[in-house]
Amino acid sequence: MSEVQLKKKKEETEEEHPMEHLLRMERMPHIWCPTCGIGTAVTAFLMALEKSQIPLKDTAIVSGIGCTGRVAGYVKLDSFHSTHGRAIPFATGLKLANPKLKVVVFSGDGDIMGIGGNHFLHAARRNMDLTVVCVNNFIYAMTGGQCAATTPVTANTSTSPYGNFEQPFSLPYLAASCGAVYVARWTALDVRRLAKSLTEALQKKGFSFVEIICPCSTLYARRNRLGTGLDLMKFYHDNSVIKHGADLSELDISFQSKIVVGKFIDRERPTFIEGVNQGLRGVLKDKFVEYGGPIDDD
Ligand SMILES: Cc1ncc(C[n+]2csc(CCOP(=O)(O)OP(=O)(O)O)c2C)c(N)n1
Ligand code: SF4
């Protein structure tokens, strides 16, 4: 390619980044390490945002703290970077104050399932109308690679230097048993399938949950001698098995074993707001005025 052609190509590439309209480009470059999977997870999410055709002005994204917790700051939506483990209660408050908002929580396994685990259980039980996306890299990455509630047995972390011997959570099993109406798991390699699943999750009424198995090349992969993020993606390619509707007891993840992915739950249940409205209407009859929030319908 001639220099002129190269220059033209560079200008075109810079001008035409397909996701620019959904990203806060003024914040680039992002903080993520080379070959970290979080960027791929975000790409799939942005593809889903477009496909779902949900008005962006009525969509909000909430993250807790961590490498994944930075996602909210890079996406061009109403974004909230809340405190560690508190993305779900923050999002619940947002939804209750403004019931017509589409509220998405996008955070790490440490944030959502470790420190914020209790909030996850109750939001799923209540069927809060939220889409919760959890990037599971099996470790507390931002703070130096401590053992998480998702770390597989025998995996090495900075707080389990001889290997982890605690049984990890199976996140889809947990979500489903607490009452989530939509539950799926994909790896960061499955960009298109993940984008489809995230689209379905965004369009679903009620508590939808998508787990994304993601490489942390700098801490999890290094401590466990698994190579780069690309090597982990190759591992996912060879070891993930698509099994829609799989039995929930098949979804455990052991160290470097097969990973069952797919859509596991898609069902209907009244949401928290619907349940409360129905209950109060029953008690208060025509004195009951449903709260619609400050968003205009037009
Ligand atoms: C209350 C509180 N406790 C601990 C921390 C320190 N801290 C910040 S990020 C983090 C771990 C994040 O892990 P995870 O959610 O898995 O995200 P990752 O960095 O792996 O994407 C911790 C423990 C904090 N910020 N606030
Ligand atoms: S430390 Fe791990 S999770 Fe965090 S940005 Fe780097 S590779 Fe990604």
Side-chain angles (χ1 to χ4, degrees):
M1 218 182 264
S2 75
E3 214 168 287
V4 177
Q5 280 172 319
L6 266 177
K7 190 165 173 260
K8 187 162 176 277
K9 186 158 190 277
K10 188 164 180 284
E11 279 168 7
E12 279 172 5
T13 331
E14 280 176 5
E15 275 169 20
E16 290 174 20
H17 188 287
M19 296 300 180
E20 226 167 274
H21 58 295
L22 295 171
L23 288 169
R24 295 180 191 272
M25 294 306 286
E26 71 281 9
R27 297 202 169 180
M28 299 295 152
H30 56 69
I31 64 151
W32 298 311
C33 310
T35 83
C36 172
I38 299 172
T40 318
V42 174
T43 302
F45 174 65
L46 298 181
M47 286 161 71
L49 261 187
E50 288 208 304
K51 272 201 198 146
S52 67
Q53 295 190 320
I54 295 168
L56 298 184
K57 71 173 183 50
D58 299 340
T59 305
I61 181 166
V62 185
S63 289
I65 306 295
C67 297
T68 314
R70 301 303 289 246
V71 169
Y74 295 127
V75 177
K76 209 189 265 179
L77 293 173
D78 282 335
S79 307
F80 301 91
H81 193 197
S82 66
T83 48
H84 195 28
R86 302 300 179 262
I88 289 179
F90 190 103
T92 298
L94 206 54
K95 180 74 191 178
L96 291 177
N98 215 337
K100 286 175 193 145
L101 270 185
K102 169 57 62 181
V103 183
V104 182
V105 171
F106 201 123
S107 219
D109 53 286
D111 194 80
I112 290 178
M113 300 297 176
I115 186 167
N118 194 33
H119 300 295
F120 181 87
L121 308 185
H122 294 288
R125 172 179 69 79
R126 293 184 180 117
N127 201 20
M128 270 313 302
D129 192 5
L130 302 174
T131 294
V132 177
V133 184
C134 179
V135 166
N136 181 5
N137 52 21
F138 305 121
I139 209 155
Y140 286 88
M142 183 171 260
T143 40
Q146 293 87 353
C147 194
T150 50
T151 307
V153 171
T154 73
N156 184 294
T157 71
S158 61
T159 49
S160 65
Y162 300 106
N164 170 43
F165 302 110
E166 288 177 11
Q167 182 62 33
F169 275 139
S170 160
L171 305 190
Y173 197 166
L174 186 65
S177 59
C178 293
V181 291
Y182 184 95
V183 179
R185 170 198 278 158
W186 295 101
T187 73
L189 179 72
D190 305 298
V191 176
R192 270 187 280 181
R193 292 188 180 104
L194 173 60
K196 181 167 180 274
S197 219
L198 288 168
T199 310
E200 288 176 357
L202 287 169
Q203 287 170 337
K204 188 88 189 170
K205 201 165 48 120
F207 192 91
S208 54
F209 175 68
V210 180
E211 176 185 20
I212 310 176
I213 306 294
C214 219
C216 167
S217 44
T218 304
L219 291 152
Y220 187 75
R222 187 169 53 78
R223 289 199 75 94
N224 289 286
R225 301 179 197 281
L226 303 176
T228 63
L230 185 60
D231 292 317
L232 275 180
M233 291 285 205
K234 282 185 191 142
F235 177 82
Y236 301 158
H237 176 266
D238 297 339
N239 293 281
S240 62
V241 184
I242 300 175
K243 220 168 175 188
H244 296 299
D247 189 298
L248 296 171
S249 63
E250 286 180 59
L251 304 178
D252 282 349
I253 300 180
S254 308
F255 184 66
Q256 293 301 92
S257 70
K258 76 175 167 68
I259 302 170
V260 177
V261 296
K263 175 164 78 171
F264 309 124
I265 299 285
D266 194 347
R267 61 187 168 196
E268 305 300 327
R269 232 162 43 85
T271 66
F272 173 78
I273 294 177
E274 284 171 346
V276 168
N277 283 343
Q278 200 188 338
L280 289 178
R281 195 174 292 114
V283 178
L284 299 173
K285 311 278 186 270
D286 51 1
K287 280 194 228 132
F288 178 62
V289 181
E290 196 172 301
Y291 176 63
I295 290 182
D296 288 335
D297 281 326
D298 43 73

